[in-house]
Amino acid sequence: AALNPWDVMLCVSGTAIACENALVVAIICYSPALRTPMFVLVGSLATADLLAGLGLILNFVFQYVIRSETVSLLTVGFLVASFAASVSSLLAITVDRYLSLYNALTYYSERTVLCIHTMLAGAWGVSLCLGLLPVLGWNCLHDRAACSVVRPLTKSNVTLLSASFFLIFLIMLHLYIEICKIVCRHAHQIALQQHFLTASHYVTTKKGVSTLAIILGTFGASWLPFAIYCVVGDPDYPSVYTYATLLPATYNSMINPIIYAYRNQEIQRSMWVLLCGCFQAKVSFRSRSPSDV
């Protein structure tokens, strides 16, 4: 079959995603110091995005090398589970950031570690179930009329996935609003303790709020068009609409390592040690706390 340029772009995107996130996973596994709840969550996100990137590559290979409906179904289920795990990990990171600010005094306790592991177990369990649904029979291989804009998923299946995304997005939006309130309140209290409001107070608050807006805005801009199109789109529409909304969604997995991993100075230090072994001990790094935005 002739190569579809959109499929090529998805494969290229998957390759970039896999390479970026494989490095993050290697760094976290290589560095014993990166075992805190924050890095466990970042590792979960990187693992999910790594699997999503591999899924995009496999989907391209099997689409043009091994043309089989069964293999296509398995690949789509793998992609659904991977991207669901990625979005769920983003939610877990948001919850962790909120808890690190709301319960700052008790954050570094065994209870927090248990909470993080429980969240991740639930996130990956639900994601696996969502990926297995089309494989176990919730597909339109034998009923073309039930197909959605993402074949072989059914309309009801993509509606469920989209509704789950909207719910997660709203929860993240609410938590980030609460985080902004806490950050602004803390900055204001510090300024009052100094008996005056300095310019740095406004700069720090504005920077924190801007960073949160960028994080949430990037997530929404990547996934909302595809989630909305899955609900309102019709399988008779040109496939270019599906590709045009799906491709930006994959970019979120490409941006995640930059936002959540490579900006962290502990990971930067570990990356130097892992890649070239030329890290100079005299260079000082300050580890970011989980509440840093």
Side-chain angles (χ1 to χ4, degrees):
L3 285 178
N4 186 332
W6 288 100
D7 288 329
V8 175
M9 286 189 288
L10 284 175
C11 183
V12 171
S13 177
T15 304
I17 291 170
C19 293
E20 278 186 299
N21 288 281
L23 180 58
V24 176
V25 173
I27 290 172
I28 293 177
C29 293
Y30 171 81
S31 306
L34 306 182
R35 295 293 185 268
T36 63
M38 176 183 64
F39 290 113
V40 171
L41 291 169
V42 173
S44 172
L45 175 63
T47 301
D49 288 332
L50 170 60
L51 294 176
L54 293 176
L56 290 172
I57 298 173
L58 291 176
N59 182 65
F60 177 83
V61 172
F62 290 141
Q63 185 173 355
Y64 289 97
V65 178
I66 306 175
R67 301 181 63 86
S68 167
E69 290 187 338
T70 302
V71 173
S72 174
L73 192 61
L74 291 173
T75 306
V76 169
F78 184 79
L79 284 171
V80 169
S82 301
F83 281 119
S86 176
V87 173
S88 300
S89 296
L90 287 174
L91 175 61
I93 289 175
T94 306
V95 173
D96 176 68
R97 285 184 167 178
Y98 173 75
L99 292 177
S100 69
L101 290 170
Y102 186 77
N103 297 321
L105 296 178
T106 60
Y107 177 79
Y108 293 99
S109 64
E110 293 184 1
R111 182 178 179 181
T112 300
V113 175
L114 178 61
C115 177
I116 296 300
H117 289 166
T118 302
M119 278 197 304
L120 288 181
W124 279 91
V126 172
S127 301
L128 181 60
C129 290
L130 291 175
L132 286 175
L133 287 177
V135 179
L136 296 178
W138 202 1
N139 59 68
C140 63
L141 292 181
H142 303 293
D143 184 10
R144 297 298 179 90
C147 281
S148 66
V149 295
V150 184
R151 190 177 180 277
L153 300 182
T154 64
K155 296 177 182 178
S156 56
N157 194 342
V158 297
T159 300
L160 172 64
L161 295 174
S162 298
S164 301
F165 168 80
F166 292 137
L167 177 61
I168 290 177
F169 182 77
L170 290 176
I171 294 175
M172 290 178 63
L173 177 61
H174 172 72
L175 289 176
Y176 274 127
I177 291 175
E178 293 299 318
I179 290 174
C180 286
K181 291 180 180 178
I182 296 174
V183 170
C184 294
R185 185 166 62 248
H186 285 181
H188 185 70
Q189 290 173 349
I190 293 173
L192 290 179
Q193 289 176 358
Q194 298 173 351
H195 304 294
F196 59 91
L197 296 176
T198 62
S200 61
H201 160 69
Y202 296 104
V203 172
T204 302
T205 304
K206 182 179 179 180
K207 180 180 178 181
V209 174
S210 299
T211 303
L212 292 176
I214 291 173
I215 292 173
L216 191 63
T218 300
F219 176 64
S222 299
W223 277 105
L224 278 175
F226 181 66
I228 294 173
Y229 182 68
C230 284
V231 176
V232 303
D234 189 273
D236 293 331
Y237 291 169
S239 61
V240 65
Y241 296 158
T242 302
Y243 283 114
T245 53
L246 176 60
L247 188 62
T250 66
Y251 291 159
N252 187 66
S253 295
M254 197 182 302
I255 299 172
N256 283 339
I258 300 174
I259 295 178
Y260 296 97
Y262 294 133
R263 291 175 62 247
N264 185 279
Q265 293 181 347
E266 287 289 346
I267 288 185
Q268 291 174 9
R269 178 175 61 180
S270 299
M271 182 167 59
W272 278 108
V273 174
L274 179 64
L275 293 182
C276 59
C278 59
F279 174 75
Q280 300 295 327
K282 63 181 180 181
V283 180
S284 62
F285 287 84
R286 180 184 66 85
S287 177
R288 293 175 178 264
S289 67
S291 60
D292 284 351
V293 295

